[in-house]
């Protein structure tokens, strides 16, 4: 990838755009609830679908109070206290390591059964945790007082679940102990009772849900609570047993698995949610989230990549395709990489920063491009064919808008006697005639991709090999001149049929070094060429009237021609006024004329004249007698008759 060199100002703007993209992308994701929720959903997908499956945690057992259990009691709620007391004793007898009772004991039931459960809790010898809350929206004062008296303080554990307020998904472990009266939450109170002194690394850890090995297995063993008494002791010995309701219509909580469907894992009972939390705290596992500095760093990298891609200045199709590949590759890495053990890479913030960085940098650099296109169109649309202007827009690096010395081929044209004609017809008719003539001339010049430099009345100046390189500029100039001559003659004949006598168009072609670029003031600027070559080209057009020719090209142009089908006949070695060295001039002719007897006879006569052979006079006399309409032959015959020798001619004026 080749990047353009940026000025200090552009580099500063580029850097500011990147930083703003990072700040906005990261800020929007973390402070706009909808975007934050989308980010959370991407984490849900990875946790529930891409995390490595884990075998069942054999340390934890859920003693489920299900519909079959409740069917054994005369009432469904509260859960029968005698049943709970007997269940706790059974678990102690079978050697359970610890118990969590996910039942809120906040109101009296049958006195004898309440007393039995209260005494059982007091007399248990194994670590036991009982659900507790201080939330006023859950319990009134009387219920709170009853709960505090019923459950010993060392057994109390906060049963609050930390849910996402946007969609109600349980995402974090509630730590509890948020006030003086509130105990630690279930997993932390259980750790205390089991003698663990390890504290969590963060206050509200993200739950690292234990993904089951397959759809037919649950992360933890779940046994009907009313069947525990008849189960083998080995199934419960040294297990942490969680007693709680797993009813299908109550106490259900949304988990990240709900992203794939609200099945048993997608809508989980509270006691099963605590099983995941307890398993995580026992292992001291943490969801591998990116730290804030790391997340900002990745977001910065994304914005920088976007800025570099925008600075690449390729077409919009290539830029969008490359952007799509980069973004999709990163998302693929974020999802599949989580399964390989990579941290939870942020997705939305880098993506937004990438998009913002791409847009911002493209806007900054694009403004420069748009200004350049606007300048090119304004500077060259008057002179160049639309296709050439488009090439300049597509490849502005080929353009030098300042004065630059380069080799050019020039064409100058002028209508003979136009001033006299303009005095004879009405201004409206003159304007109509001149506009039609100049439009036709310009169309031909632009078809050969020449630059129409300027109009001076009926005269036209154009050149080739700027602003774009044209290695065949000399060939183009001669071919264009022949086409202009044909158009001008056809136009003149058409005007003659309308009763107007329009003079011939004289055309001069010359090549050489000139300074080309935009010249003028800040208010008005023209793309033009300057130098002695321009003056010589103008004089080349002017000498046509002395020779009676319509086209005249210098040997400098012919020397640069690359094509073999350029046909000319020599005019002579001309000493232009104000010039020290003579210039050999030629008349461009068509291929048909070059093969004609008239042209062959002229070439033979010219060869004798150029060799200063005395037979030249006789040859030109014979030529004029055979072809009396050839003005160039008549010109040389007149010279030779007056005693001139050779093909050298000195011009008296320009």
């Amino acid at each position: 990838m080749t990047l353009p060199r940026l000025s200090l100002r552009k580099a500063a703007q580029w850097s500011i755009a990147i930083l703003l993209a990072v700040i906005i992308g990261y800020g929007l994701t973390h402070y706009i609830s909808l975007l934050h929720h989308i980010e959370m959903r991407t984490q849900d997908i990875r946790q529930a679908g891409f995390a490595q499956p884990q075998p069942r945690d054999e340390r934890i057992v859920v003693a489920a109070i299900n519909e079959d259990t409740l069917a054994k009691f005369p009432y469904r709620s509260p859960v029968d206290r005698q049943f709970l007391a007997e269940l706790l004793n059974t678990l102690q007898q079978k050697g359970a390591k610890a118990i969590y009772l996910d039942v809120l004991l906040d109101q009296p039931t049958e006195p004898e059964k309440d007393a039995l459960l209260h005494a059982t809790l007091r007399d248990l010898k194994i670590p036991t945790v009982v659900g507790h809350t201080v939330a006023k929206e859950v319990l009134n004062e009387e219920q709170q007082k009853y709960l505090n008296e019923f459950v010993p303080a060392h057994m109390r554990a906060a049963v609050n679940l930390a849910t996402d307020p946007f969609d109600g998904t349980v995402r974090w472990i509630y730590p509890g102990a948020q006030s003086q009266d509130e105990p630690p939450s279930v997993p932390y109170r259980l750790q205390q009772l089991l003698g663990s002194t390890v504290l969590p690394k963060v206050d509200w850890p993200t739950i690292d849900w234990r993904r089951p090995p397959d759809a037919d297995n649950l992360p933890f063993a779940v046994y009907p609570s009313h069947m525990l008494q008849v189960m083998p002791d080995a199934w419960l010995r040294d297990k942490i047993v969680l007693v709680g309701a797993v009813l299908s219509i109550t106490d259900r909580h949304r988990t990240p698995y709900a992203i794939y469907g609200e099945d048993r894992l997608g809508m989980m009972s509270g006691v099963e949610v605590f099983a995941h939390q307890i398993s995580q705290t026992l292992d001291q596992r943490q969801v591998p989230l990116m730290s804030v500095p790391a997340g900002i760093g990745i977001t910065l990298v994304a914005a920088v990549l976007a800025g570099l891609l925008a600075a690449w200045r390729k077409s919009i199709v290539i830029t969008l395709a490359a952007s799509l590949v980069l973004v999709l590759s990163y998302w693929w890495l974020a999802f599949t990489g989580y399964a390989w053990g990579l941290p939870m890479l942020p997705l939305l913030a880098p993506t937004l920063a990438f998009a913002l960085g791409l847009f911002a940098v493209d806007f900054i650099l694009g403004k420069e491009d748009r200004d350049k296109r606007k300048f090119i169109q304004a500077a060259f649309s008057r002179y160049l064919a639309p296709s050439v202007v488009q090439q300049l827009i597509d490849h502005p690096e080929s353009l030098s808008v300042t004065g630059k010395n380069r080799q050019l081929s020039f064409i100058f044209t002028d209508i003979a006697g136009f001033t006299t004609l303009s005095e004879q017809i009405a201004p409206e008719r003159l304007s109509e005639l001149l506009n039609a003539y100049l439009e036709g001339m310009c169309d031909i010049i632009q078809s050969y991709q020449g630059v129409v430099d300027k109009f001076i009345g009926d005269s036209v100046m154009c050149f080739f090999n700027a602003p774009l390189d044209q290695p065949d500029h000399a060939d183009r100039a001669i071919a264009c001149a022949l086409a202009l001559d044909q158009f001008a003659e056809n136009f003149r004949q058409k005007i003659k049929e309308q009763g107007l006598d329009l003079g011939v168009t004289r055309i001069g072609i010359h090549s050489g070094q000139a300074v080309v670029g935009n010249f003028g003031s800040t208010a008005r600027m023209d793309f033009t060429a300057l130098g002695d070559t321009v003056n010589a080209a103008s004089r080349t057009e002017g000498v046509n009237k002395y020779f009676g020719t319509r086209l005249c090209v210098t040997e400098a142009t012919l020397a640069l021609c690359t094509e073999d089908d350029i046909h000319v006949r020599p005019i002579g070695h001309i000493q232009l006024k104000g010039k020290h060295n003579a210039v050999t001039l030629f008349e461009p002719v068509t291929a048909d004329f070059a093969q004609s007897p008239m042209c062959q006879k002229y070439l033979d006569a010219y060869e004798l004249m150029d060799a200063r052979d005395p037979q030249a006079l006789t040859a030109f006399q014979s030529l004029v007698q055979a072809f009396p309409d050839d003005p160039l032959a008549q010109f040389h015959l007149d010279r030779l008759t007056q005693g001139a020798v050779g093909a050298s001619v000195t011009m008296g004026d320009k």
Side-chain angles (χ1 to χ4, degrees):
M1 181 190 296
T2 303
L3 299 176
R5 297 181 64 181
L6 301 180
S7 65
L8 244 135
R9 182 174 64 86
K10 288 295 180 187
Q13 291 176 336
W14 187 92
S15 302
I16 292 172
I18 295 302
L19 288 176
L20 285 176
V22 172
I23 293 170
I24 294 173
Y26 195 84
L28 287 176
T29 304
H30 286 75
Y31 297 105
I32 300 298
S33 58
L34 176 61
L35 297 180
H36 181 72
H37 173 67
I38 294 173
E39 181 69 36
M40 291 293 99
R41 284 299 183 93
T42 68
Q43 293 186 14
D44 291 349
I45 295 172
R46 283 173 278 181
Q47 275 197 297
F50 289 84
Q52 289 291 344
Q54 300 179 57
R56 175 178 288 179
D57 190 342
E58 300 295 346
R59 300 169 298 178
I60 299 172
V61 170
V62 176
I65 300 174
N66 55 25
E67 293 293 343
D68 292 338
T69 304
L70 296 180
K72 298 180 177 298
F73 312 132
Y75 47 85
R76 293 177 60 89
S77 180
V79 179
D80 188 277
R81 300 286 168 82
Q82 181 178 343
F83 169 76
L84 292 177
E86 293 171 353
L87 180 60
L88 294 175
N89 283 322
T90 297
L91 292 174
Q92 182 169 255
Q93 292 168 8
K94 290 182 176 292
K97 184 178 182 179
I99 301 171
Y100 164 55
L101 181 60
D102 189 41
V103 177
L104 205 57
L105 306 174
D106 61 334
Q107 55 185 303
T109 61
E110 300 171 74
E112 298 81 3
K113 294 181 179 181
D114 290 343
L116 176 61
L117 178 58
H118 182 69
T120 300
L121 288 173
R122 186 182 63 242
D123 297 337
L124 283 174
K125 305 301 182 185
I126 60 175
T128 302
V129 174
V130 181
H132 187 278
T133 183
V134 294
K136 291 181 170 51
E137 64 272 16
V138 176
L139 303 179
N140 57 37
E141 290 185 11
E142 186 176 346
Q143 288 175 303
Q144 187 71 64
K145 180 180 178 182
Y146 185 88
L147 178 62
N148 290 341
E149 291 175 351
F150 200 96
V151 179
H154 70 280
M155 291 185 176
R156 300 172 191 168
V159 293
N160 308 56
L161 295 178
T163 59
D164 191 323
F166 197 94
D167 62 358
T169 300
V170 180
R171 300 190 188 279
W172 305 278
I173 297 177
Y174 180 71
Q178 299 299 295
S179 67
Q180 185 176 359
D181 298 331
E182 185 180 38
S185 66
V186 173
Y188 298 141
R189 173 64 86 186
L190 191 59
Q191 277 195 323
Q192 287 180 346
L193 295 182
L194 290 173
S196 173
T197 58
V198 179
L199 298 176
K201 296 179 181 179
V202 292
D203 291 338
W204 294 63
T206 299
I207 300 176
D208 187 14
W209 301 93
R210 195 177 186 92
R211 186 183 177 193
D214 52 63
D216 298 327
N217 287 277
L218 293 175
F220 312 97
V222 179
Y223 304 138
S225 58
H226 59 280
M227 299 296 293
L228 294 186
Q229 191 171 10
V230 298
M231 288 182 180
D233 292 357
W235 289 16
L236 299 172
R237 186 178 298 117
D238 295 326
K239 311 290 185 183
I240 298 174
V241 182
L242 281 58
V243 180
V246 294
L247 304 175
S248 59
I249 58 174
T250 60
D251 192 31
R252 312 298 290 181
H253 304 277
R254 181 185 176 89
T255 74
Y257 290 101
I259 201 79
Y260 294 106
E262 296 186 352
D263 55 7
R264 177 71 180 272
L265 293 176
M267 296 299 293
M268 200 176 292
S269 65
V271 69
E272 291 173 299
V273 171
F274 285 122
H276 283 270
Q277 295 183 12
I278 292 168
S279 174
Q280 178 177 342
T281 54
L282 288 175
D283 296 335
Q284 288 299 303
R285 282 184 282 115
Q286 298 286 337
V287 175
L289 298 173
M290 297 292 292
S291 66
V292 171
I296 293 175
I298 289 178
T299 306
L300 176 61
V301 170
V304 169
L305 281 176
L308 294 176
L309 185 59
W312 194 22
R313 310 311 297 149
K314 293 297 181 181
S315 69
I316 187 171
V317 174
I318 294 176
T319 302
L320 289 179
S323 300
L324 192 61
V325 168
L326 287 174
V327 171
L328 291 180
S329 297
Y330 177 73
W331 279 60
W332 175 83
L333 177 65
F335 283 98
T336 59
Y338 188 74
W340 305 336
L342 287 180
M344 189 79 75
L345 297 175
L347 283 175
L348 217 56
T351 302
L352 286 175
F354 185 93
L356 291 169
L358 189 68
F359 172 80
V361 174
D362 182 72
F363 179 80
I364 292 171
L365 300 183
K367 183 179 185 302
E368 185 177 9
D369 289 346
R370 288 188 294 272
D371 291 344
K372 189 176 293 184
R373 290 191 189 98
K374 184 178 178 181
F375 171 78
I376 291 172
Q377 287 177 329
F380 296 102
S381 59
R382 294 175 293 169
Y383 319 120
L384 297 174
S387 60
V388 180
V389 175
Q390 189 59 49
Q391 288 182 55
L392 289 175
I393 291 173
D394 294 339
H395 303 283
E397 68 278 1
S398 64
L399 174 65
S400 175
V401 296
T402 57
K404 183 177 182 182
N405 197 342
R406 64 188 300 165
Q407 193 174 65
L408 303 175
S409 288
F410 292 89
I411 293 178
F412 275 81
T413 75
D414 184 58
I415 301 176
F418 187 78
T419 303
T420 302
L421 175 65
S422 65
E423 295 171 352
Q424 298 173 357
I425 62 176
E428 295 80 4
R429 177 67 178 125
L430 177 67
S431 175
E432 180 184 350
L433 182 150
L434 184 59
N435 286 340
Y437 169 82
L438 293 177
E439 183 174 358
M441 298 288 277
C442 287
D443 287 345
I444 292 171
I445 294 169
Q446 291 188 346
S447 70
Y448 285 90
Q449 297 187 342
V451 176
V452 179
D453 188 317
K454 59 175 64 72
F455 303 117
I456 306 173
D458 61 286
S459 300
V460 179
M461 170 188 171
C462 71
F463 55 81
F464 298 83
N465 202 34
L468 296 176
D469 290 332
Q470 296 170 321
D472 60 342
H473 58 91
D475 303 88
R476 287 174 184 263
I478 293 176
C480 180
L482 287 167
L484 291 173
D485 178 64
Q486 183 179 3
F487 165 78
E489 282 298 289
N490 291 337
F491 187 85
R492 187 167 71 91
Q493 185 60 38
K494 180 180 176 182
I495 295 302
K496 186 176 181 180
E497 293 172 358
Q498 298 175 12
L500 296 176
D501 188 13
L502 184 66
V504 298
T505 295
R506 301 188 183 112
I507 302 172
I509 311 121
H510 178 53
S511 301
Q513 294 294 124
V515 178
V516 61
N518 278 276
F519 300 97
S521 66
T522 55
R524 178 179 176 81
M525 190 170 287
D526 286 323
F527 185 74
T528 189
L530 304 174
D532 188 60
T533 300
V534 181
N535 298 329
S538 176
R539 291 175 184 175
T540 301
E541 175 274 315
V543 298
N544 278 292
K545 63 182 176 181
Y546 297 103
F547 308 133
T549 53
R550 298 196 304 271
L551 293 97
C552 186
V553 61
T554 64
E555 60 181 337
T557 299
L558 291 177
L560 297 172
C561 289
T562 60
E563 300 292 337
D564 297 330
D565 59 348
I566 300 296
H567 303 284
V568 295
R569 64 173 180 169
I571 294 174
H573 311 302
I574 313 303
Q575 182 79 43
L576 298 174
K577 185 175 181 180
K579 297 294 182 180
H580 298 293
N581 299 320
V583 178
T584 302
L585 300 181
F586 298 82
E587 180 187 21
V589 297
T590 64
D592 291 340
F593 183 83
Q595 300 299 321
S596 68
M598 176 181 173
C599 186
Q600 293 301 317
K601 198 171 182 64
Y602 175 86
L603 294 176
D604 293 339
Y606 183 86
E607 186 176 357
L608 292 172
M609 179 178 65
D610 195 29
R612 306 175 74 86
D613 191 316
Q615 296 298 318
L617 177 58
T618 303
F620 272 100
Q621 287 173 339
S622 175
L623 175 62
V624 172
Q625 184 177 2
F627 304 100
D629 295 330
D630 184 359
L632 182 56
Q634 185 65 57
F635 171 80
H636 285 303
L637 176 59
D638 292 342
R639 288 180 53 250
L640 295 174
T641 301
Q642 295 172 12
V645 178
S648 296
V649 180
T650 300
M651 304 303 300
D653 53 19
K654 296 182 180 179

